[in-house]
Amino acid sequence: MKKNMGWRELGQGDSLPAGTAAEFQTGDWRRERPIFNKENCIQCYFCWIYCPDAAIILDENKKVAGIDYRYCKGCGICDRECPTKKEKRAIIMKEEKK
Ligand code: SF4
Ligand code: SF4
């Protein structure tokens, strides 16, 4: 039987300097795109809190205003956490067009 590789046998991975995330625009990883509907938004900030890429845009009055598609990877967490319901959804995921 083949023995599984232990951690000491694994090669070293890459590492990046801290504070460089803004240089890497990860929006082209996206397969789905969140569409923001301002009329239905209740400004609860759940999407802003949970977005792992800090891609939720706030306007000058600190209101949720949209999605920064340069960094949005399309994970859908904002859609899942948004408390608005059905036809009053403030965020809906749509297939990314090429
Ligand atoms: S889909 Fe993911 S990365 Fe994009 S805005 Fe929503 S939570 Fe952020
Ligand atoms: S989670 Fe939904 S309702 Fe709350 S701020 Fe974001 S888009 Fe608006």
Side-chain angles (χ1 to χ4, degrees):
M1 196 167 95
K2 192 176 168 201
K3 183 178 167 286
N4 287 338
M5 189 184 282
W7 67 269
R8 286 189 180 88
E9 298 156 276
L10 293 172
Q12 188 173 353
D14 289 333
S15 66
L16 296 169
T20 58
E23 296 170 25
F24 299 99
Q25 297 191 2
T26 50
D28 59 356
W29 298 7
R30 209 172 40 244
R31 294 179 60 211
E32 285 189 296
R33 159 181 295 244
I35 307 295
F36 176 62
N37 188 339
K38 193 171 186 174
E39 289 74 47
N40 294 340
C41 177
I42 60 172
Q43 299 295 333
C44 69
Y45 296 101
F46 282 7
C47 56
W48 181 77
I49 291 166
Y50 284 107
C51 175
D53 292 294
I56 303 296
I57 300 168
L58 301 184
D59 66 16
E60 63 280 2
N61 299 313
K62 304 273 187 266
K63 299 289 185 191
V64 173
I67 315 285
D68 188 340
Y69 292 115
R70 294 173 303 163
Y71 298 101
C72 167
K73 290 198 286 256
C75 66
I77 292 173
C78 54
D79 175 36
R80 198 178 62 207
E81 298 301 330
C82 180
T84 58
K85 303 283 182 231
K86 294 182 178 169
E87 64 281 353
K88 293 282 188 183
R89 294 289 295 165
I91 295 183
I92 298 171
M93 300 302 290
K94 298 262 177 166
E95 187 180 347
E96 183 73 37
K97 298 274 186 268
K98 292 287 173 213

